[in-house]
Amino acid sequence: MIRIPRGTQDILPEDSSKWRYIENKLDELMKLYNYKEIRTPIFESTDLFARGVGDSTDVVQKEMYTFKDKGDRSLTLRPEGTAAVVRSYIENKMQGYPNQPIKLYYNGPMFRYERKQKGRFRQFNQFGIEAIGAENPSIDAEVLAMVMHIYESFGLKHLKLVINSIGDANSRKEYNEALVKHFEPVIDTFCEDCQSRLHTNPMRILDCKIDRDKEAVKNAPRITDYLNEASKAYYEEVKSYLTDLGVDYVEDPNLVRGLDYYTHTAFEVMMDNPNYDGAITTLCGGGRYNGLLELLDGPSQTGIGFALSIERLLLALEEEGIELDIGEEFDLFIVTMGDEAERYSVKLLNHLRKNGIKADKDYLKRKIKGQMKQADRLNAKYTIVIGDQELANNEIDIKNMATGESETVKVDELVQYFKQ
Ligand code: HAM
């Protein structure tokens, strides 16, 4: 038997309504903040991620689904959205659009070859935003407040916003030098990847999945001690905006994020429920990326964004016992008695549906009781029974399933009845 690939999942009808509800709500929220949707391809050229996300990140080194197409081009199923959105921004010269900054959001599947765990998949669905073209602490704070607004609007309460500053390129340079000095004496005890990262990208040692629990990682220098004045001032302003906005946060000087493009503001939203038994508590991650556009041969614009996976949002909802108010309603189930009635109901259904009424009938020649059960299972608001008598009189009794009351209606007036 052929089975579903490891780390992927089918979203079955009983769950897909939750997904649709969440996605619709996210679309609505984006309107409040003036973000517009962008859709980019599922695969991109491999170089985009190697350069954008960073050659020495775990994502690029270990987790990408990379393949050659028939024209011998190296392509990769996108592991994240930022590099692709930035590529599109540059290619479409969005810096020239009249409305600046450019505020974009996306929602779609991403792919990473990771070890399957609760909340960790190989195909997962990221909803993310990117605001490109403004370097202003107020937009950083707005993005953070927006993330919390999103989670709160689904009813989630037990969350923690964790923030840090990674500083600008100069701060990072000094920090990297300090890390090299710190790790050099013990690097032999680290994994091969970390050994090769020491001189290319020592910050990545801090989030290596193999070595991150080592003592030397725990007591490594902290980026916050290497921020220059400009970076410190930017960070302080972001925090003071957050205070103005009443957004609670905790600072974690060890939060460096796993992708290379971050500068200044970095953040994650974590589940804050001590009883949660899963290993993964990060719901969302993001930050500012000041050098990324130039790195990808674009203009010297800067951006900030975040991404969250719908899978982890659903997990958090489940953890907090929150039922989404999906409110799926079905208008009418037609119960038929006899062949003639069934033939008639096919035409009637066609007419009702074309007039916007959600309606269905039995297809399995069930007895009346079975058909009624089917109406119940569908949560139909109304049922009608069509038999010889109804056909002869052109009148039917329409039964309100909630109250049990019936009314007699002319078949021709059924659409009108629903419209009212
Ligand atoms: P990231 O931290 O790699 O950042 O991923 C962001 C979010 O995607 C995570 O917090 C988690 O919700 C979800 N996620 C990541 N990997 C998995 C997985 N294997 N299974 C389920 N969910 C997962 C980024 O991707 C950046 N592009 C975010 C960003 C946007 N930064 C600036 N703009």
Side-chain angles (χ1 to χ4, degrees):
M1 188 172 125
I2 298 173
R3 291 185 186 277
I4 192 168
R6 206 175 161 75
T8 66
Q9 60 175 346
D10 296 317
I11 297 162
L12 300 173
E14 55 268 33
D15 288 324
S16 60
S17 50
K18 289 187 199 163
W19 280 70
R20 194 167 283 282
Y21 173 89
I22 289 173
E23 291 172 342
N24 288 344
K25 202 171 177 90
L26 289 168
D27 285 339
E28 285 308 310
L29 283 161
M30 287 304 97
K31 288 186 191 141
L32 299 177
Y33 289 85
N34 189 26
Y35 280 75
K36 303 274 191 278
E37 191 186 11
I38 181 166
R39 300 185 188 205
T40 60
I42 300 285
F43 57 82
E44 297 270 357
S45 80
T46 303
D47 279 351
L48 174 67
F49 303 112
R51 261 161 80 187
V53 172
D55 257 339
S56 43
T57 58
D58 267 6
V59 168
V60 171
Q61 282 190 337
K62 301 178 184 162
E63 297 169 2
M64 294 208 304
Y65 284 89
T66 296
F67 58 96
K68 285 266 175 84
D69 73 1
K70 294 210 164 85
D72 209 32
R73 299 171 195 91
S74 180
L75 299 170
T76 293
L77 298 184
R78 59 185 187 187
E80 61 105 51
T82 310
V85 170
V86 166
R87 193 247 336 117
S88 175
Y89 174 100
I90 297 169
E91 212 164 331
N92 293 291
K93 301 191 173 47
M94 292 191 204
Q95 70 274 21
Y97 284 19
N99 285 330
Q100 296 290 335
I102 300 288
K103 291 174 161 186
L104 303 166
Y105 76 96
Y106 49 91
N107 179 21
M110 307 288 161
F111 305 84
R112 295 184 193 177
Y113 188 79
E114 292 199 86
R115 199 161 61 84
K116 166 127 187 51
Q117 262 179 300
K118 190 170 172 181
R120 175 171 280 155
F121 298 89
R122 292 184 176 168
Q123 174 175 335
F124 55 98
N125 200 95
Q126 268 190 353
F127 166 85
I129 70 106
E130 311 296 342
I132 306 175
E135 188 176 4
N136 181 335
S138 75
I139 201 164
D140 295 36
E142 181 185 293
V143 167
L144 295 177
M146 177 166 82
V147 174
M148 298 317 278
H149 181 190
I150 289 174
Y151 283 116
E152 281 155 15
S153 59
F154 287 103
L156 288 166
K157 291 194 174 70
H158 303 289
L159 301 175
K160 189 165 69 176
L161 171 64
V162 187
I163 65 168
N164 191 24
S165 171
I166 300 182
D168 60 13
N170 288 334
S171 309
R172 229 163 111 157
K173 190 164 166 275
E174 276 196 35
Y175 180 54
N176 277 334
E177 282 163 16
L179 285 178
V180 173
K181 244 194 223 150
H182 173 80
F183 283 119
E184 215 155 26
V186 287
I187 198 67
D188 292 349
T189 63
F190 279 62
C191 74
E192 261 178 45
D193 288 325
C194 284
Q195 295 188 18
S196 71
R197 285 164 175 158
L198 181 68
H199 290 287
T200 52
N201 195 351
M203 250 167 93
R204 292 285 69 93
I205 298 176
L206 301 175
D207 49 55
C208 169
K209 289 191 181 99
I210 300 169
D211 289 316
R212 70 174 156 208
D213 291 328
K214 289 212 160 85
E215 262 323 288
V217 172
K218 287 185 187 152
N219 57 35
R222 294 168 156 194
I223 179 77
T224 20
D225 295 327
Y226 293 82
L227 296 183
N228 55 20
E229 286 312 311
S231 301
K232 268 190 214 155
Y234 195 92
Y235 189 35
E236 288 308 315
E237 256 205 271
V238 173
K239 287 190 283 182
S240 93
Y241 273 116
L242 288 177
T243 308
D244 286 355
L245 291 166
V247 175
D248 292 331
Y249 60 86
V250 287
E251 290 179 74
D252 178 359
N254 291 323
L255 180 84
V256 292
R257 309 269 305 127
L259 315 169
D260 272 354
Y261 45 66
Y262 292 111
T263 56
H264 294 287
T265 314
F267 62 95
E268 287 181 353
V269 178
M270 326 271 294
M271 276 195 246
D272 195 18
N273 177 354
N275 300 323
Y276 177 64
D277 66 352
I280 293 162
T281 55
T282 306
L283 296 177
C284 160
R288 170 161 284 283
Y289 42 88
N290 281 4
L292 180 60
L293 277 91
E294 283 160 287
L295 186 74
L296 297 173
D297 304 319
S300 59
Q301 298 289 354
T302 67
I304 177 163
F306 71 82
L308 61 87
S309 67
I310 311 265
E311 288 82 354
R312 290 193 195 169
L313 171 57
L314 283 164
L315 196 64
L317 289 168
E318 197 182 307
E319 257 325 282
E320 290 200 25
I322 296 169
E323 293 277 346
L324 298 174
D325 181 18
I326 293 170
E328 286 211 316
E329 288 184 334
F330 200 75
D331 297 324
L332 177 69
F333 192 83
I334 302 179
V335 175
T336 56
M337 292 191 298
D339 291 344
E340 214 182 316
E342 186 176 6
R343 183 160 278 277
Y344 181 79
S345 71
V346 171
K347 256 169 66 187
L348 181 59
L349 271 176
N350 188 44
H351 173 65
L352 293 170
R353 288 166 177 161
K354 286 190 169 162
N355 281 282
I357 294 156
K358 296 173 205 148
D360 211 353
K361 72 183 247 305
D362 167 64
Y363 300 92
L364 301 178
K365 299 215 179 289
R366 290 183 180 93
K367 300 218 163 61
I368 300 242
K369 216 169 147 195
Q371 294 190 45
M372 281 296 185
K373 262 199 197 151
Q374 183 68 1
D376 262 347
R377 271 194 291 263
L378 259 175
N379 232 341
K381 280 191 282 185
Y382 294 94
T383 51
I384 55 177
V385 179
I386 301 181
D388 292 344
Q389 200 187 327
E390 286 76 12
L391 290 176
N393 298 346
N394 214 14
E395 259 182 9
I396 33 131
D397 284 343
I398 179 157
K399 183 175 175 192
N400 181 323
M401 298 294 274
T403 63
E405 284 166 13
S406 291
E407 267 185 81
T408 307
V409 181
K410 290 241 171 290
V411 175
D412 305 345
E413 289 164 13
L414 206 49
V415 169
Q416 202 53 29
Y417 181 87
F418 274 98
K419 294 256 149 93
Q420 277 162 11

